Amino acid sequence: KKERQAAANKQSIKELRKLAEQQEAADQEDWVQAMKTLRPQNRSRSAARSPEELENGVEGVMMSEECEVWEIILQKANKGQRFGFSFSSSKQEYQKDRGKLLRKGEGPDMLLVKAVAEDMLASHWNREHPMKELLPCDRVAAVNGLRRISDMQQALRTQQAVKLQIVRYPQYFFADMLRGFGGAQVSSQVGITYKRCPASHDSDGPDELEITSIAADGLLERWNQRHVMRNLYHFVVTPGMRIQAVNDVENDLDRMEEELASSVVR
């Protein structure tokens, strides 16, 4: 009798494991939306890498979580010289974009490059290092090894020479939104409002949907929170970004809207 009970228990365990594996496989396939998202500030960036450069790499440029990372060195010859770029707090810019969805302490501890002046140290660096240029919308993650925003700002104001760690966010990224947790009956709404942005007749650009707001209880904000928890702020979607494709549908605003509305939880 004990042997029969042990065999029955063993069979039950096998069945439970099989069910768990099937559920896990189903969860892996349970993706409802895949949105190709464009950062608006990068729209006219001239230094976007070619497919060959991204595949083969650029000497001195590393890839980290789809961001490009490299270092530049700027050395003043005299006190009258300037590094030649303006910047703001990337964290403050991010927090403004997040609005009411922002949580305490959230945001990247980096500086955001606003502009690069002509005929100064930064522009001279750019001419000599065209594959490692400093451009508007790049981020400064460290100055002479300092990573606090206030320390980096102080170093840029007072130091004669600086080594900058530059981070360039991906121009495009895909936001994959999970429909549920283990088949749970949860909201399947993407949770955004948007406006249609058809390409102009004299442009070869794509038709796009510009995000105007994000709901706190939608799938997109769930995506955002997963990346906030991992400090991957370059994958957080904010109003102003544009959707170029939904579930591989692009250049057709009607069909893109249909895809956004088609998310039904099983």
Side-chain angles (χ1 to χ4, degrees):
K1 184 176 180 180
K2 289 182 179 180
E3 291 176 353
R4 288 198 302 271
Q5 185 63 46
N9 290 340
K10 188 175 181 180
Q11 180 64 26
S12 297
I13 291 171
K14 288 179 63 177
E15 290 174 354
L16 287 172
R17 284 178 176 169
K18 185 176 180 180
L19 286 171
E21 290 170 356
Q22 291 173 343
Q23 184 63 67
E24 182 178 357
D27 289 347
Q28 291 295 322
E29 296 175 357
D30 192 19
W31 299 96
V32 62
Q33 303 291 351
M35 300 195 318
K36 182 181 180 182
T37 309
L38 168 70
R39 299 180 190 283
Q41 66 267 33
N42 291 359
R43 178 173 299 278
S44 60
R45 170 168 283 159
S46 60
R49 309 291 184 196
S50 68
E52 292 77 14
E53 290 167 346
L54 289 173
E55 182 177 355
N56 299 326
V58 176
E59 185 177 357
V61 178
M62 300 179 296
M63 296 299 295
S64 175
E65 295 288 354
E66 297 190 28
C67 291
E68 297 177 59
V69 182
W70 68 96
E71 290 183 341
I72 72 174
I73 298 174
L74 303 177
Q75 171 76 55
K76 294 179 181 179
N78 55 67
K79 291 184 177 181
Q81 265 193 321
R82 296 185 177 182
F83 294 127
F85 67 96
S86 60
F87 54 86
S88 63
S89 166
S90 181
K91 191 168 192 172
Q92 289 181 355
E93 298 278 352
Y94 169 90
Q95 290 176 342
K96 181 175 65 176
D97 290 339
R98 286 286 282 155
K100 294 181 179 179
L101 297 174
L102 183 71
R103 298 187 180 185
K104 184 177 180 180
E106 184 180 328
D109 289 316
M110 293 190 282
L111 302 177
L112 176 66
V113 177
K114 306 293 283 186
V116 178
E118 291 294 327
D119 202 29
M120 290 191 181
L121 288 175
S123 59
H124 294 167
W125 167 275
N126 287 349
R127 283 195 293 272
E128 295 172 6
H129 306 85
M131 301 307 294
K132 295 192 284 186
E133 289 181 292
L134 178 69
L135 296 175
C137 302
D138 285 340
R139 271 76 176 172
V140 180
V143 179
N144 292 343
L146 304 171
R147 293 186 175 274
R148 287 177 51 185
I149 289 176
S150 59
D151 292 340
M152 291 191 288
Q153 292 171 329
Q154 180 69 10
L156 286 168
R157 294 189 185 103
T158 61
Q159 299 298 310
Q160 289 293 106
V162 291
K163 179 188 286 187
L164 310 178
Q165 184 184 63
I166 306 301
V167 176
R168 180 170 295 167
Y169 284 3
Q171 185 172 6
Y172 301 91
F173 63 95
F174 288 88
D176 298 323
M177 284 163 283
L178 201 59
R179 249 195 311 201
F181 296 108
Q185 298 293 317
V186 297
S187 170
S188 63
Q189 298 300 311
V190 176
I192 61 172
T193 60
Y194 55 84
K195 63 181 181 181
R196 295 163 66 105
C197 297
S200 59
H201 295 297
D202 57 350
S203 170
D204 58 356
D207 294 334
E208 298 170 329
L209 301 173
E210 182 176 327
I211 298 170
T212 55
S213 69
I214 299 173
D217 58 352
L219 291 173
L220 184 55
E221 180 57 18
R222 192 194 303 169
W223 157 275
N224 282 344
Q225 288 301 325
R226 288 204 304 271
H227 291 83
V228 165
M229 287 188 292
R230 297 168 59 196
N231 293 325
L232 300 177
Y233 295 109
H234 53 286
F235 288 140
V236 175
V237 181
T238 57
M241 292 185 179
R242 294 194 173 193
I243 302 168
Q244 285 201 338
V246 184
N247 292 343
D248 295 326
V249 176
E250 56 186 334
N251 279 323
D252 187 331
L253 295 178
D254 290 335
R255 288 188 59 207
M256 288 167 66
E257 287 183 318
E258 290 173 3
E259 290 294 325
L260 284 173
S262 67
S263 52
V264 178
V265 176
R266 66 171 182 266

